[in-house]
Structure formats: structure tokens, C-alpha cells
């Protein structure tokens, strides 16, 4: 599923999330098993060993990612 966000696009499948931020010419991809959702702050956190990033999103986008990937917000 492709979802427009203010900064760019989210591409969400059951197995991965891709975030494209064209203004910064940046694309970030993470497998679902390396994702964490912080519900209180509406933040998507990726921790894949040596690479870590986080992205604040709206509550609706967090819910969509949770539904598509099966990851329960913490």
C-alpha cells in the first residue's frame, strides 16, 4: 500500500516499510522484524543492527503501519 505523507510517501507491506522523502533525496527501507512503534509519541523506530532511525508520523499512519505489518504499538 502506498500512502502519501507530508514529507513524501510510505510504502507498506506485511514484510517491509519503505519511506521516500524526495525533498532530501532520501529513501529508507526496513524489514518488519526490525520495526518498533512507540504509540504514545506516534513514532516509527527502525533498529537493524548498526543502522537506526526514527520518524514521527500521524496517529492514522501509525495505525495503518500497525495493521499492515502486524506490529503492536508499545
Amino acid at each position: 500500500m502506498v500512502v502519501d505523507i507530508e514529507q513524501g510517501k510510505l510504502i507498506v507491506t506485511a514484510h517491509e516499510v519503505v519511506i521516500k522523502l524526495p525533498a532530501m533525496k532520501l529513501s529508507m527501507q526496513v524489514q518488519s522484524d526490525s520495526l518498533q512503534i512507540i504509540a504514545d509519541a506516534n513514532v516509527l523506530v527502525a533498529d537493524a543492527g548498526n543502522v537506526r532511525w526514527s520518524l514521527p508520523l500521524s496517529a492514522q499512519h501509525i495505525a495503518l503501519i500497525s495493521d499492515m505489518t502486524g506490529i503492536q504499538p508499545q
Side-chain angles (χ1 to χ4, degrees):
M1 171 179 285
V2 178
V3 179
D4 290 323
I5 59 174
E6 184 178 329
Q7 306 90 337
K9 294 190 181 295
L10 292 174
I11 303 166
V12 183
T13 70
H15 305 290
E16 72 178 353
V17 174
V18 178
I19 299 165
K20 294 190 178 254
L21 307 174
M24 292 187 260
K25 298 179 182 176
L26 179 67
S27 180
M28 301 182 296
Q29 180 266 340
V30 64
Q31 299 296 314
S32 296
D33 58 351
S34 296
L35 279 176
Q36 180 182 11
I37 297 173
I38 310 298
D40 293 339
N42 290 329
V43 174
L44 181 66
V45 178
D47 185 353
N50 292 330
V51 177
R52 293 183 186 150
W53 52 262
S54 62
L55 182 68
L57 295 168
S58 70
Q60 294 85 3
H61 292 129
I62 292 291
L64 180 129
I65 291 170
S66 178
D67 290 345
M68 290 290 295
T69 61
I71 297 169
Q72 296 303 311
Q74 299 180 3

